[in-house]
Amino acid sequence: MIVRTFLKEKIAHLLKELWNEEVPIPLLYPDQPKFGDYATSVAMALAKSLRQKPLDIARTMAEHWKWQDICTVEVAPPGYLNFFVQDSLLGALAQEEFLHPHYGKSTLLSDKKILLEYVSANPTGPLHIGHGRWAALGDSLARILSYAGAEVWREFYVNDAGNQIRLLRETIQAVREKREIPENGYHGAYIADVAQQNEDPVQYILSWQKETLKNFGVEFDRYFSEKSLHESGMVQKTLDFLTSKGVAYASEGALWLRTTDHGDDKDRVLVKSDGEYTYFAVDIAYHQDKIKRGFRSLYNILGADHHGYVKRMEAAVWLLSQADGVETDFRIIIGQLVSLYRNGEPVRMSKRTGDMITLEEVLEEIGRDALRYYMVMRKADTHLEFDIEEAKKQSEENPVFYVQYAHARICGILRNLPPSLPKVQGGVIDSPEARLLAIRLLRFPEVVQDAALALEPHRIPQYLEDLASVFHKYYTVHRIITEDLEKTAQRAILVRATKNVLALGLHLIGVSAPERM
RNA sequence: GCGCCUGUAGCUCAGCUGGAUAGAGCAACAGCCUUCUAAGCUGUGGGCCACAGGUUCGACUCCUGUCAGGCGCACCA
């Protein structure tokens, strides 16, 4: 059971019954144990409309609280209701749910079929650290959304057509023929390597990117080729469709889309006056393809360097949905850039000049677990400053090891457990520290749901650090394995449950849960 | 000039969509291993939540303005 959801329902039920009120119920985790495991401030919010003192409202609610077997309730000034989960319930949950291999999995989003697009780097050069961030975010998000019950399909849009690609081919051709690299061509150190391959440069670079992502633990259901949209005629079909619906129009020798109908500050070109499609037009065709494949939730992770693109894309998908008579849930998650430093000196990341550090190299230096953790532990919209030397130095101190260590520590304890233990009859919550630990375990499903709804993977590592901390403290105070076999069995329950949740949480962000460290 | 994002401890960042005394990790200092993993634990110091107004019983959180930083403003991709 999810206690928070239970409380919200019952509180809402009470308000309806007592005063016929229907308001959102704020439910929070108090920062001090004496204020309970959960609390609500709803009485304060209702004071005005009920014309009563918050404290009186809270008291009345407490008097009518009839779910004492789940939570007891206390009133605190100026009008809080503080809920205390029953130890017996915690103990029972610890023996069942907390140990379940899919604990925290829900059907919250089971009505959603989501297409999550992320990374979508141009196949014109190696992936950089920013791609690493989108990759880690996207992969974690996909795992979290799936765990919340959604059907998630992961795609990488391959821009294997257009000017950049033509320029890349010209560059490679020039190098192979020992000619000068054309103006605006690519100059990275990797160019020489690509030119030496007996392979199509685009395919070569793409497989290189795939390899890097694979090493990073990030995989896709499909690498969607932009070229295929041209070849299948999807682009023209989509444009004809938009024209027939009157939202695309010809002017000044070009074809335009009325993106101003939906928040953009000017209409955008779909077909240039030279007859070529814009990148935008092809991307619209791609999104039309997503819709045609039955996806209604279209989530894109986009680098902040492309955020100027958001408004027109939102407008385009809105127009497509309107024209098709479907409702879509289109959401763009902006991943802010990663500024790369080495010993405090900024490192340039231009593909053109070639002075860049690739994701592959950083991955090599820092390691997969540490890098993945580092990339998802922060909110997506914070500007991340990443110093390679600092990160290398700190890799020993990286919070990922703190969390993993808790897991490994537990594995060590479990290895030392006596081979046979008596059956546990309750008493699992035998100390304040045990109680704090159980409460953390109880919150795991709530955290997963919050992360899924807010599309914020960073909540998972945040939670894991808290859980690990509470466990380390518990471990310091209480000895698990003792002569008292009954006590040992009781404590083993909680420890095993903690291991389970740590492993589940780490898995959600694609980080391993080592048995030994 | 316009738009998006950011501004919280010396540093890197949380702060649960408006609630109780603003938290964590590094860094500094002082302690804790004959017992299950010391990659751990305990304690100390460190804050005008950029600034100024406003809304509210109540603001780090919402609104307006200012300042600072990042990014973007194509018939490029």
Side-chain angles (χ1 to χ4, degrees):
Chain A
M1 79 181 293
I2 296 183
V3 171
R4 189 180 59 177
T5 310
F6 173 87
L7 287 173
K8 279 195 182 190
E9 279 171 14
K10 296 312 174 197
I11 294 166
H13 176 79
L14 259 188
L15 293 176
K16 179 86 178 148
E17 204 175 67
L18 291 170
W19 299 288
N20 200 28
E21 283 281 349
E22 285 180 71
V23 289
I25 312 293
L27 210 61
L28 36 130
Y29 303 133
D31 44 9
Q32 290 181 65
K34 67 171 178 180
F35 292 145
D37 306 314
Y38 296 87
T40 182
S41 57
V42 74
M44 268 105 86
L46 283 172
K48 195 169 265 179
S49 64
L50 292 181
R51 309 177 68 104
Q52 286 186 51
K53 286 184 189 154
L55 208 53
D56 293 338
I57 298 173
R59 282 198 182 116
T60 307
M61 290 173 70
E63 278 162 26
H64 289 80
W65 186 253
K66 51 195 169 199
W67 297 277
Q68 252 83 13
D69 53 325
I70 305 292
C71 289
T72 58
V73 63
E74 283 179 11
V75 176
Y80 290 101
L81 281 171
N82 296 330
F83 298 94
F84 297 80
V85 181
Q86 289 285 7
D87 286 3
S88 55
L89 176 66
L90 288 175
L93 289 172
Q95 292 176 70
E96 291 283 330
E97 293 194 24
F98 298 173
L99 292 169
H100 195 277
H102 297 304
Y103 177 53
K105 195 169 169 64
S106 72
T107 54
L108 183 72
L109 302 178
S110 57
D111 59 331
K112 282 196 188 290
K113 189 176 167 190
I114 301 169
L115 196 148
L116 183 64
E117 181 197 335
Y118 54 106
V119 185
S120 296
N122 284 345
T124 53
L127 299 173
H128 57 64
I129 187 72
H131 294 123
R133 191 178 192 188
W134 330 146
L137 277 170
D139 185 72
S140 301
L141 195 54
R143 290 164 187 248
I144 292 164
L145 290 168
S146 301
Y147 213 60
E151 183 186 337
V152 184
W153 187 268
R154 311 157 183 221
E155 279 188 11
F156 179 126
Y157 180 50
V158 184
N159 305 133
D160 54 0
N163 286 336
Q164 307 278 12
I165 294 300
R166 189 173 43 75
L167 206 53
L168 176 76
R169 289 187 200 282
E170 284 172 12
T171 302
I172 297 298
Q173 200 57 33
V175 173
R176 281 174 180 165
E177 292 168 7
K178 298 195 172 23
R179 281 186 289 111
E180 209 170 298
I181 291 174
E183 207 184 333
N184 295 328
Y186 292 88
H187 293 278
Y190 67 96
I191 287 295
D193 172 53
V194 176
Q196 277 177 8
Q197 305 301 321
N198 228 345
E199 220 182 312
D200 173 62
V202 174
Q203 286 312 312
Y204 177 72
I205 292 175
L206 182 59
S207 56
W208 182 18
Q209 291 180 345
K210 286 183 186 175
E211 181 72 22
T212 304
L213 288 167
K214 200 176 165 194
N215 291 338
F216 198 36
V218 176
E219 309 217 25
F220 291 86
D221 295 301
R222 180 169 177 185
Y223 284 80
F224 194 104
S225 157
E226 176 188 350
K227 209 164 70 182
S228 73
L229 289 166
H230 291 86
E231 289 167 356
S232 69
M234 188 64 187
V235 181
Q236 193 54 50
K237 233 162 74 184
T238 304
L239 296 186
D240 290 344
F241 176 66
L242 290 169
T243 307
S244 74
K245 293 286 178 181
V247 292
Y249 63 94
S251 172
E252 304 167 50
L255 187 72
W256 300 72
L257 186 68
R258 288 189 206 283
T259 51
T260 45
D261 283 0
H262 197 73
D264 203 359
D265 45 13
K266 63 178 177 186
D267 288 346
R268 303 291 173 172
V269 172
L270 296 168
V271 182
K272 297 185 265 180
S273 47
D274 65 4
E276 280 200 39
Y277 301 129
T278 59
Y279 175 87
F280 182 46
V282 186
D283 206 8
I284 292 173
Y286 176 38
H287 283 78
Q288 177 71 335
D289 186 85
K290 292 178 183 177
I291 293 171
K292 292 292 179 205
R293 278 186 279 157
F295 292 101
R296 293 295 174 267
S297 296
L298 312 179
Y299 297 174
N300 296 358
I301 295 179
L302 207 61
D305 51 342
H306 288 103
H307 73 257
Y309 192 64
V310 171
K311 277 234 167 80
R312 81 187 69 165
M313 206 57 223
E314 282 173 347
V317 173
W318 185 81
L319 290 169
L320 279 175
S321 316
Q322 288 283 306
D324 265 329
V326 297
E327 257 188 55
T328 54
D329 171 24
F330 182 60
R331 297 166 77 171
I332 293 181
I333 301 147
I334 295 292
Q336 282 298 330
L337 302 180
V338 180
S339 311
L340 207 52
Y341 295 82
R342 195 180 273 282
N343 290 321
E345 291 295 313
V347 178
R348 300 235 164 267
M349 292 199 297
S350 166
K351 262 180 263 182
R352 296 275 166 80
T353 64
D355 172 26
M356 67 180 295
I357 295 189
T358 64
L359 173 60
E360 199 178 30
E361 289 162 345
V362 178
L363 186 54
E364 187 102 346
E365 284 193 42
I366 313 289
R368 172 169 151 181
D369 282 347
L371 187 60
R372 279 200 67 142
Y373 194 92
Y374 205 92
M375 289 296 143
V376 294
M377 69 191 271
R378 304 274 138 85
K379 263 187 315 192
D381 52 13
T382 56
H383 306 265
L384 221 163
E385 299 204 349
F386 191 86
D387 191 305
I388 299 171
E389 295 304 322
E390 198 63 25
K392 242 191 341 189
K393 205 164 55 184
Q394 278 186 8
S395 70
E396 298 287 309
E397 316 282 349
N398 191 311
V400 71
F401 295 105
Y402 183 80
V403 177
Q404 288 182 319
Y405 182 64
H407 184 269
R409 212 175 202 186
I410 292 173
C411 290
I413 297 167
L414 296 179
R415 279 192 295 270
N416 291 330
L417 230 42
S420 73
L421 286 169
K423 198 164 165 17
V424 173
Q425 313 274 358
V428 173
I429 310 302
D430 61 352
S431 64
E433 290 79 13
R435 198 169 188 290
L436 283 179
L437 190 52
I439 287 293
R440 291 309 187 286
L441 299 174
L442 183 69
R443 288 177 187 168
F444 177 63
E446 301 164 6
V447 173
V448 176
Q449 293 198 348
D450 288 346
L453 289 174
L455 307 179
E456 289 182 347
H458 80 276
R459 291 175 188 241
I460 302 296
Q462 211 71 43
Y463 166 82
L464 288 173
E465 281 166 51
D466 182 44
L467 175 61
S469 163
V470 173
F471 170 74
H472 283 311
K473 283 170 189 163
Y474 172 79
Y475 172 88
T476 308
V477 180
H478 300 288
R479 208 186 148 74
I480 289 90
I481 300 169
T482 57
E483 302 290 308
D484 185 342
L485 288 182
E486 192 142 325
K487 184 115 279 192
T488 301
Q490 288 166 357
R491 293 186 170 167
I493 295 282
L494 206 52
V495 168
R496 217 186 284 275
T498 305
K499 167 175 143 44
N500 186 42
V501 173
L502 284 171
L504 289 172
L506 285 170
H507 183 73
L508 285 179
I509 52 171
V511 174
S512 70
E515 308 237 325
R516 292 172 202 271
M517 282 175 76

